[in-house]
Amino acid sequence: MNTDDLQQKNARLVRNLVLVVVAMFGFGFALVPLYDVLCDITGLNGKVAATAAKEVVYPIDNSREVTVEFITSLNESAPMLFRSETKKLIVHPGEYYTVNFYAENLTDKPMVAQAIPSISPGLAAEYFKKTECFCFTEQTFKPREGRTMPVRFVVNPDLPKQYKTITLAYTFFDNTKTQ
Amino acid sequence: MSAVIAEHDEHDEHHHDDHAHGPDKGLLRWIVTTNHKDIGTLYLFFALAMFFVGGSMAMVIRAELFEPGLQFVEPQFFNSMTTMHALVMVFGAVMPAFVGLANWMIPMMIGAPDMALPRMNNMSFWMLVAGVLLLASTLFMEGGAPAAGWTLYPPLVLQTGKALPFAIFSVHLLGISSIMGAINIIATIFNMRAPAMTLMKMPLFVWTWLITAFLLIAVMPVFAGAVTMLLTDKFYNTSFFDAAGGGDPVLYQHIFWFFGHPEVYIMILPTFGVASTIIPVFARKPLFGYSSMVYATASIAFLSFIVWAHHMFTVGMPIAGELYFMYATMLIAIPTGVKVFNWTATMWKGAMTFETPMLFSISFVVLFTMGGFTGLMMSIAPSDFQYHDTYFIVAHFHYTLVPASIFILMAAAYYWLPKWTGHMYNEKIGQLHFWLSVVSVNILFFPQHFLGLAGMPRRIPDYAVQFADWNMISSIGGFIFGASQLLFLYVVIDTIKGGTGEKVSDEVWEDAHKHGLEWTIPSPAPYHTFTTPPTSIPTEHI
Amino acid sequence: MALSLGTAQAEYTLNLMKGVTKVSNDVYDLHMLILWICVFIGVGVFGTMFYSIYYHRKSKGHKAAQFHENTTVEIIWTIIPTLILVGMAIPATKTLMELDDVQSSDMSIKVTGWQWKWEYEYIDNGVHFFSSLDEASNKARQMHSGIDPRTVPHYLLNVDKPLVIPTKKKIRFLFTAADVLHSWWVPDLGWKKDAIPGFINEAWTSVDKPGTYRGQCTELCGKDHGFMPIVVIAMEQPDYDAWVKKTKEDAQKGPDLADQSRDELVSKGAGLYAKNCSTCHLPDGKGVPGAFPALTGSAVVKGDIKAQANLIINGKGGMPAFGKMLKADELAQIVTYTRNALGNSVGDDIQPKAIQELLPNKTAPAAKAEAKAVAPEKVEPVADMAKEELVALGKTVYESNCASCHQPEGQGMAPMFPALKDSSVVKGDINAQVNLMLNGKAMMPAFGHSLSAKDFAAVVTFTRNSLGNSVNDLIQPSAIQKLQAALPPAEDDE
């Protein structure tokens, strides 16, 4: 084979393969938004939308009862108090409810904290709509400030019949140090 | 061909120097060399050195686990050892060893004068050395070497001390080195084959490496991306994997295993290739089902991309996901089964002899199949809820790596050493090495199945006393296995120095010239081979 | 130590345990089914191979056949395995669906993984506690402990407070983690589930037979991953109810606030330290360089006692908030112990009552806020000083307040404590540095209240003109005084 030909062929092949490499590097990063989309669709990990749902009127299904549990956690040693004022609520799908959570900054410094919601079972997440939640944005607390924060939600009546209990969990992360 | 032989004659005057013609003299030769045989040798020696480094770490692990209680190392260092043992063995020993074989053998098997991109070849080797040295240097850093397991799961890995950015940079270097190696192999196979060597006549070692190289190109960049995200999460305030900023630690696992599952096949596919090369020679029969072997390899490679989450059955996937990944994983058993049946059929009605390469290859087929069986058991998601992260898993993947990949690397070394050096290895010591290895490797890993089933988690430095007996037996097997490998080191050095003194023929093994082009050239292989492409090729291998 | 073959106290098993739930039995059956299929295939394949190895050898004069393909055979050995796989998939799918069905449970328990303990919270009745490795195992597992693990009952598989559940009830577990990934596994229940920070996972069990079932964390979670076991005790409903009643009463009992002598505090503190602190700060208080600071000679331990108590109560960075886990008397004992043992001899103590006042008051958050409106005390003005004076004084202040973290030469301790030498903060704007030191940052405590204006100015000037830095500027105590006056009052002032 002619050497020039061979060099040309090699150069072309290498270029194409390098393009594949670059594309696959990009693909690794593309998995991040792809994963979020997948989570939305499948309820993987009980990841929930971080934005408020529009307040739509659903038909209220008074014949059906779903138990909603509220649980709270603090990540690492977030120096806070955090509790839900309602531990458990029996709801009718389609009806709007408001429950209160109480959080308090236990330090003498201002604190920025983010609450991360997670719903279990994950597949119920897309039927659990929050129209108001302290988890949509970071919360700033003045030193030693404590306050009550409401969450307004509705369970979409389309929730498949097998779900009788839904758990809404919040974890507060202290984000002050990363500011 | 006459030119080649002339070179060979000249060689004989330079006693015991297997690269007499052509290369530069002295140390510089090895640093600047672009010769595929030199670079292959460098890769193989480097891999052997790393095999002993990683092996020493395994000895530390087995020593600590010899008895319950902490005797030798603190838990944090123990975790560093398991992490570094895996990283060194995967990226420093097994992968480079196969790249070394590819460098040496692919051009000789396809009738090419050298690799397609010789200078890049040199660069990828030295980048590997830099990457592994950087990784090893983390052992001496404040806070110790990475200790979060070779999977480097966040958030734990973000608690690594000073070593984290160095470890990540080293992964980048290793990745670039592998990618360059893979590009080179693809270019060589696509563009450098002798005209008579069509794709469906290529030896299976070449085929499996071609597929492996594509896997490398597809997944190494994804891994590089994942560790880059770890880096920015740690130092630049991103939150890819941090729930506090809207990320998810499980996402890392998905990205990692998208790389990780093909990665384990990167270590096993060339193994299949070598086994398919060696078994027919010693069975004195053509390989059974050449084309089904090629298709099975390609199917396994394809499946490796769509089964990754079977490593994560316990992270809390929706049931549809678990079912999908369970079914897809079970499918892998089919092409893998085809391969095992084909090797068995190749031996069937052959006229077998049992030199060391054949012994290692047969034990590979048997013991790899055992690893395959446990793999099938683990694909069943509900059972995996029990097996996951226990010693059952440790036993499984060590069966697919040690008596499979490592044994086949040993087989390859014994098989081709006479061609590389021109000397015959000491068959007695080779057989002793084999028997010691095959017995001890089972004493080492078989009891780990029992430990896992009985409830011993992996990655723990100390354990409940009911696990004591099998751990002690496993450790004893480990020490014997470790020590036996010194025999291999001896055989290699001895063979390079002259071995048995017996003059080996060009084909070395009976009728081997019917099985591969490499046996049609002189032993030792001259510095330059196939400067003009061969006109006819052997067909016994297809 | 004698060879232990056959003398291990607990029985070992070779196979998966059947467990004590329907699911665990189904998983066991599934495991055995697949195992036997594999054994069956293995016998066939290896049998053929060894037959061939024995009979088809050259030394026996066997002549090699030359066949190299057979489409029929190849199709058969592709289709038969496929059918076998389908046969495996059916029972596997059934069991998986059963495992997945967490609905209609009788009670829920939230399980949180911590480095390195488990937290259990009974959602329905409010019972809440931490569960960590029992003391006997913890002592024996230290390196060179001199204790034979075989003499410790349930070595590494025992906890201080086990999880108690009623039998014959469907119990739903909710898993999460507070720091890194963990995984909760009790083999007798038939499954394990990962605990992931920020996310919630669920699984369920229903145990028929009362008994004690043991397991371990199965996701690598750092150095003491091997030392956070799980113990589940299943009790008949009446026994369980009695346990709940007793546990609740104990929790409400509250701390013993009676004053104690210093010796008493120290001696009780030793055990608590071993259980709660020694994992990170090590039994001798020497810490782990780069990860966990030493307590021996620590500026925090030698400094203000209330500041130290506050840090232990509220936690900091990787250190958990012990105010939530321990009672006032226990905290007082630990604080006093660290100050009078581990190579320290500060010679003071704190009483449970004083700690009780520092603990976050869960019932009256408003009262706390009011208490803050106390006017800062008047302070005497301080004279200006020369740079050399400030640097000289600063050196001593630095040694007692900063050196334990930032190191005597200012080289820091990565990754927790940044170097001051060539630090961009130290070389940057002096007011920014002062501000950082007044208010603290991440792991770094706020020095605004703990240092006098003079000491504060001195140490700032020292860092900028020593430790390999030569910014060549200074700040006067009077400037610091003004800034300190503007600070919100510290708890110490309340």
Side-chain angles (χ1 to χ4, degrees):
Chain A
M1 197 185 303
N2 184 320
T3 329
D4 285 348
D5 271 6
L6 180 64
Q7 278 193 347
Q8 245 177 24
K9 264 176 84 176
N10 281 342
R12 203 165 48 234
L13 185 62
V14 170
R15 197 193 54 212
N16 291 340
L17 292 175
V18 169
L19 282 178
V20 176
V21 169
V22 173
M24 288 310 292
F25 187 71
F27 176 73
F29 285 86
L31 282 174
V32 178
L34 266 170
Y35 178 74
D36 284 342
V37 173
L38 209 75
C39 289
D40 279 354
I41 298 171
T42 62
L44 193 70
N45 243 350
K47 252 190 143 178
V48 237
T51 49
K54 281 217 183 75
E55 182 129 0
V56 254
V57 180
Y58 294 105
I60 297 172
D61 182 356
N62 279 318
S63 64
R64 194 171 163 204
E65 289 184 340
V66 175
T67 307
V68 181
E69 289 177 342
F70 304 95
I71 64 175
T72 55
S73 309
L74 291 170
N75 192 55
E76 291 190 339
S77 46
M80 303 175 77
L81 282 183
F82 180 37
R83 61 173 178 261
S84 59
E85 293 188 344
T86 314
K87 297 279 173 207
K88 235 181 197 183
L89 197 63
I90 294 174
V91 304
H92 297 298
E95 194 169 336
Y96 281 84
Y97 297 86
T98 302
V99 288
N100 284 328
F101 288 76
Y102 176 78
E104 183 186 334
N105 174 4
L106 292 179
T107 69
D108 290 321
K109 284 170 272 175
M111 174 187 282
V112 182
Q114 170 77 53
I116 299 296
S118 178
I119 286 176
S120 196
L123 288 169
E126 64 171 306
Y127 302 98
F128 193 92
K129 306 282 184 199
K130 295 191 295 294
T131 57
E132 189 186 347
C133 180
F134 54 93
C135 59
F136 294 146
T137 51
E138 277 186 335
Q139 298 289 318
T140 307
F141 294 89
K142 291 200 266 306
R144 300 270 165 191
E145 181 192 354
R147 65 170 178 266
T148 302
M149 301 170 300
V151 170
R152 187 169 164 76
F153 70 92
V154 61
V155 175
N156 187 326
D158 295 339
L159 177 77
K161 288 278 178 250
Q162 73 262 32
Y163 297 116
K164 298 181 185 79
T165 306
I166 297 177
T167 305
L168 172 60
Y170 285 108
T171 307
F172 250 118
F173 288 76
D174 179 6
N175 278 4
T176 314
K177 55 182 178 286
T178 61
Q179 296 298 299
Chain B
M1 197 55 107
S2 60
V4 175
I5 291 166
E7 269 178 24
H8 180 223
D9 292 339
E10 195 179 325
H11 163 87
D12 282 346
E13 290 154 27
H14 296 260
H15 200 61
H16 295 332
D17 182 350
D18 47 318
H19 301 288
H21 185 84
D24 296 342
K25 300 280 178 245
L27 196 64
L28 195 65
R29 161 186 171 188
W30 296 103
I31 294 170
V32 300
T33 183
T34 58
N35 179 285
H36 74 102
K37 298 186 184 81
D38 281 356
I39 294 176
T41 306
L42 285 172
Y43 264 111
L44 289 170
F45 273 116
F46 183 75
L48 187 59
M50 287 305 124
F51 176 62
F52 283 105
V53 171
S56 315
M57 293 173 180
M59 293 300 110
V60 173
I61 294 168
R62 281 319 321 172
E64 183 54 63
L65 293 175
F66 188 72
E67 280 193 312
L70 288 183
Q71 289 85 24
F72 304 107
V73 293
E74 291 292 345
Q76 180 72 18
F77 185 75
F78 181 90
N79 291 345
S80 287
M81 281 294 106
T82 54
T83 305
M84 294 293 277
H85 162 71
L87 290 171
V88 167
M89 283 302 197
V90 170
F91 294 105
V94 177
M95 286 169 67
F98 279 116
V99 178
L101 286 183
N103 262 293
W104 251 105
M105 302 319 300
I106 288 179
M108 278 159 52
M109 284 178 157
I110 62 173
D114 204 317
M115 297 294 279
L117 310 155
R119 274 178 301 227
M120 192 164 93
N121 206 6
N122 174 290
M123 207 160 107
S124 72
F125 172 74
W126 288 109
M127 208 170 267
L128 165 75
V129 176
V132 173
L133 288 181
L134 190 60
L135 185 66
S137 73
T138 62
L139 273 170
F140 307 99
M141 288 179 185
E142 257 174 54
W150 81 286
T151 52
L152 309 173
Y153 279 1
L156 183 61
V157 73
L158 302 178
Q159 292 183 353
T160 309
K162 267 195 172 162
L164 184 67
F166 295 95
I168 289 175
F169 184 51
S170 123
V171 167
H172 283 148
L173 284 176
L174 297 171
I176 296 170
S177 161
S178 305
I179 289 168
M180 291 200 303
I183 290 179
N184 205 350
I185 286 166
I186 294 174
T188 307
I189 297 173
F190 277 178
N191 295 344
M192 305 283 285
R193 290 194 316 274
M197 181 67 76
T198 60
L199 281 177
M200 284 313 271
K201 282 185 184 162
M202 292 195 309
L204 264 167
F205 178 67
V206 182
W207 255 117
T208 51
W209 240 117
L210 179 64
I211 292 166
T212 303
F214 276 108
L215 286 184
L216 275 168
I217 284 184
V219 300
M220 287 310 288
V222 176
F223 185 36
V227 295
T228 307
M229 290 182 230
L230 286 178
L231 194 73
T232 60
D233 267 13
K234 173 80 180 179
F235 296 103
Y236 301 100
N237 257 333
T238 59
S239 26
F240 289 106
F241 310 130
D242 180 6
D248 183 348
V250 176
L251 169 63
Y252 175 85
Q253 301 185 22
H254 281 288
I255 304 179
F256 178 86
W257 286 112
F258 183 85
F259 146 82
H261 200 74
E263 166 65 28
V264 302
Y265 289 167
I266 286 166
M267 293 187 280
I268 203 70
L269 293 186
T271 309
F272 294 163
V274 175
S276 307
T277 306
I278 293 177
I279 292 171
V281 171
F282 294 94
R284 291 169 183 73
K285 257 187 74 192
L287 179 69
F288 187 89
Y290 171 86
S291 46
S292 69
M293 283 296 213
V294 173
Y295 300 135
T297 311
S299 321
I300 293 173
F302 169 75
L303 287 172
S304 77
F305 282 104
I306 58 167
V307 297
W308 73 89
H310 67 218
H311 296 267
M312 320 161 38
F313 278 140
T314 61
V315 299
M317 270 184 285
I319 187 155
E322 296 199 322
L323 285 173
Y324 162 74
F325 282 108
M326 175 169 85
Y327 298 149
T329 305
M330 291 169 79
L331 287 181
I332 301 173
I334 298 170
T336 314
V338 165
K339 288 193 156 275
V340 173
F341 299 142
N342 282 355
W343 288 318
T344 311
T346 305
M347 292 188 234
W348 188 252
K349 297 204 165 174
M352 277 186 272
T353 52
F354 301 95
E355 289 85 348
T356 314
M358 183 63 163
L359 289 174
F360 272 111
S361 298
I362 292 175
S363 70
F364 150 77
V365 178
V366 175
L367 298 177
F368 171 75
T369 306
M370 305 242 299
F373 285 147
T374 50
L376 180 62
M377 293 170 76
M378 285 153 40
S379 73
I380 309 294
S383 313
D384 189 63
F385 290 155
Q386 290 280 43
Y387 309 142
H388 180 70
D389 265 345
T390 67
Y391 258 81
F392 192 75
I393 307 292
V394 177
H396 157 75
F397 68 74
H398 279 98
Y399 262 89
T400 64
L401 283 170
V402 183
S405 294
I406 298 284
F407 270 25
I408 277 297
L409 284 165
M410 299 294 173
Y414 284 107
Y415 182 58
W416 282 309
L417 258 177
K419 176 56 65 185
W420 297 335
T421 62
H423 309 300
M424 198 59 191
Y425 63 85
N426 186 323
E427 183 66 41
K428 273 212 182 90
I429 299 183
Q431 301 237 355
L432 180 66
H433 172 219
F434 166 76
W435 285 110
L436 280 172
S437 296
V438 77
V439 171
S440 61
V441 89
N442 284 296
I443 300 175
L444 167 56
F445 293 121
F446 205 81
Q448 296 184 359
H449 291 118
F450 305 146
L451 287 170
L453 293 174
M456 179 169 162
R458 65 192 281 206
R459 293 167 169 158
I460 56 173
D462 192 6
Y463 46 81
V465 288
Q466 67 260 42
F467 305 132
D469 297 349
W470 290 117
N471 265 301
M472 186 177 281
I473 292 169
S474 176
S475 287
I476 291 169
F479 301 144
I480 302 174
F481 184 77
S484 317
Q485 302 321 305
L486 297 172
L487 280 179
F488 178 70
L489 185 66
Y490 169 79
V491 170
V492 172
I493 294 170
D494 178 61
T495 311
I496 292 169
K497 284 183 163 170
T500 54
E502 183 192 333
K503 179 89 186 72
V504 292
S505 63
D506 290 358
E507 65 171 14
V508 183
W509 312 106
E510 188 186 335
D511 285 342
H513 69 274
K514 293 190 204 157
H515 290 268
L517 275 178
E518 75 265 35
W519 306 113
T520 64
I521 55 174
S523 304
Y527 199 58
H528 297 290
T529 42
F530 297 118
T531 40
T532 52
T535 46
S536 72
I537 55 163
T539 52
E540 197 79 336
H541 64 271
I542 53 174
Chain C
M1 226 172 274
L3 204 75
S4 71
L5 287 177
T7 61
Q9 75 188 129
E11 282 175 41
Y12 58 77
T13 49
L14 301 182
N15 199 357
L16 202 61
M17 31 196 113
K18 276 191 170 168
V20 291
T21 65
K22 177 169 183 308
V23 165
S24 71
N25 275 280
D26 289 349
V27 168
Y28 174 82
D29 292 342
L30 196 56
H31 159 77
M32 289 315 290
L33 172 74
I34 316 283
L35 181 64
W36 283 116
I37 292 176
C38 289
V39 168
F40 178 76
I41 300 172
V43 167
V45 174
F46 300 150
T48 313
M49 202 180 294
F50 286 115
Y51 177 91
S52 174
I53 288 172
Y54 191 76
Y55 289 102
H56 305 153
R57 46 169 78 212
K58 198 184 169 196
S59 55
K60 289 199 168 232
H62 195 270
K63 284 266 182 294
Q66 285 304 309
F67 65 87
H68 61 92
E69 58 189 0
N70 185 326
T71 318
T72 323
V73 172
E74 288 176 66
I75 288 174
I76 289 173
W77 70 38
T78 310
I79 288 181
I80 290 181
T82 313
L83 294 177
I84 295 174
L85 288 178
V86 172
M88 291 177 177
I90 294 166
T93 307
K94 264 191 205 144
T95 309
L96 193 60
M97 310 263 272
E98 195 182 346
L99 270 156
D100 189 61
D101 180 23
V102 292
Q103 292 295 315
S104 312
S105 58
D106 299 308
M107 59 182 279
S108 302
I109 299 174
K110 181 186 166 209
V111 182
T112 309
W114 290 77
Q115 282 174 322
W116 292 275
K117 51 176 148 300
W118 295 98
E119 180 186 7
Y120 299 109
E121 222 176 316
Y122 293 63
I123 307 273
D124 307 79
N125 59 26
V127 171
H128 171 221
F129 57 91
F130 285 84
S131 171
S132 44
L133 185 66
D134 73 310
E135 219 174 309
S137 293
N138 197 33
K139 271 195 188 135
R141 66 112 172 169
Q142 302 300 332
M143 195 183 274
H144 313 305
S145 66
I147 305 171
D148 183 353
R150 291 177 187 85
T151 63
V152 179
H154 301 292
Y155 177 60
L156 297 188
L157 290 178
N158 209 5
V159 295
D160 53 354
K161 291 179 199 153
L163 176 71
V164 178
I165 56 169
T167 51
K168 301 188 177 78
K169 283 275 151 64
K170 184 165 181 177
I171 298 154
R172 178 163 160 265
F173 292 97
L174 296 160
F175 294 101
T176 189
D179 33 47
V180 301
L181 305 172
H182 301 271
S183 189
W184 198 87
W185 184 37
V186 176
D188 279 316
L189 303 187
W191 47 261
K192 63 176 67 72
K193 202 78 172 180
D194 291 0
I196 301 163
F199 296 93
I200 199 111
N201 259 334
E202 53 184 0
W204 68 276
T205 196
S206 174
V207 179
D208 292 334
K209 212 175 80 192
T212 304
Y213 310 110
R214 296 169 198 277
Q216 282 180 272
C217 176
T218 45
E219 178 66 60
L220 180 59
C221 58
K223 82 182 174 71
D224 282 355
H225 164 55
F227 308 100
M228 49 183 289
I230 298 154
V231 178
V232 176
I233 299 182
M235 293 180 180
E236 305 273 10
Q237 188 71 39
D239 296 340
Y240 168 76
D241 291 339
W243 174 83
V244 170
K245 189 157 168 275
K246 183 175 176 302
T247 313
K248 277 184 153 170
E249 280 168 8
D250 284 354
Q252 275 164 6
K253 217 182 272 167
D256 176 9
L257 292 180
D259 279 2
Q260 300 174 29
S261 76
R262 185 175 305 162
D263 288 346
E264 203 179 338
L265 288 167
V266 169
S267 70
K268 287 182 178 161
L272 290 162
Y273 177 86
K275 186 167 169 316
N276 292 285
C277 321
S278 65
T279 310
C280 296
H281 296 292
L282 299 196
D284 57 2
K286 295 283 187 294
V288 179
F292 306 112
L295 300 187
T296 309
S298 145
V300 173
V301 176
K302 290 173 141 181
D304 179 50
I305 195 162
K306 281 188 177 170
Q308 184 197 356
N310 260 320
L311 192 148
I312 294 173
I313 289 169
N314 294 323
K316 179 166 259 184
M319 169 144 161
F322 283 96
K324 293 173 201 158
M325 304 177 208
L326 299 176
K327 292 177 184 168
D329 49 339
E330 295 171 316
L331 288 163
Q333 287 155 358
I334 288 185
V335 172
T336 309
Y337 172 76
T338 58
R339 299 174 77 86
N340 298 289
L342 305 172
N344 296 320
S345 48
V346 187
D348 61 359
D349 57 57
I350 193 163
Q351 291 298 336
K353 265 187 214 137
I355 296 275
Q356 188 66 15
E357 279 168 29
L358 296 174
L359 284 170
N361 188 338
K362 299 189 187 189
T363 46
K368 198 101 187 176
E370 279 168 10
K372 276 210 215 102
V374 181
E377 298 162 46
K378 275 271 170 238
V379 201
E380 290 301 309
V382 193
D384 279 3
M385 296 161 76
K387 193 175 101 188
E388 288 67 31
E389 272 180 294
L390 284 168
V391 170
L393 173 62
K395 188 169 188 319
T396 59
V397 179
Y398 180 84
E399 277 161 3
S400 51
N401 289 282
C402 319
S404 67
C405 294
H406 294 293
Q407 301 298 295
E409 306 295 326
Q411 70 268 38
M413 240 200 293
M416 309 285 261
F417 309 116
L420 298 186
K421 186 173 182 299
D422 295 327
S423 144
S424 59
V425 172
V426 175
K427 290 174 131 183
D429 178 37
I430 193 163
N431 292 320
Q433 184 191 354
V434 167
N435 202 28
L436 191 151
M437 290 170 58
L438 282 173
N439 299 311
K441 183 184 173 189
M443 297 276 301
M444 167 139 162
F447 287 98
H449 292 286
S450 56
L451 290 180
S452 73
K454 198 167 142 187
D455 286 353
F456 198 107
V459 77
V460 172
T461 310
F462 169 74
T463 59
R464 299 175 75 84
N465 297 287
S466 187
L467 305 173
N469 299 318
S470 48
V471 189
N472 206 15
D473 59 359
L474 60 89
I475 191 159
Q476 289 295 350
S478 52
I480 300 289
Q481 211 167 25
K482 278 182 206 142
L483 293 167
Q484 282 180 327
L487 282 177
E491 285 143 272
D492 302 13
D493 301 337
E494 283 171 22

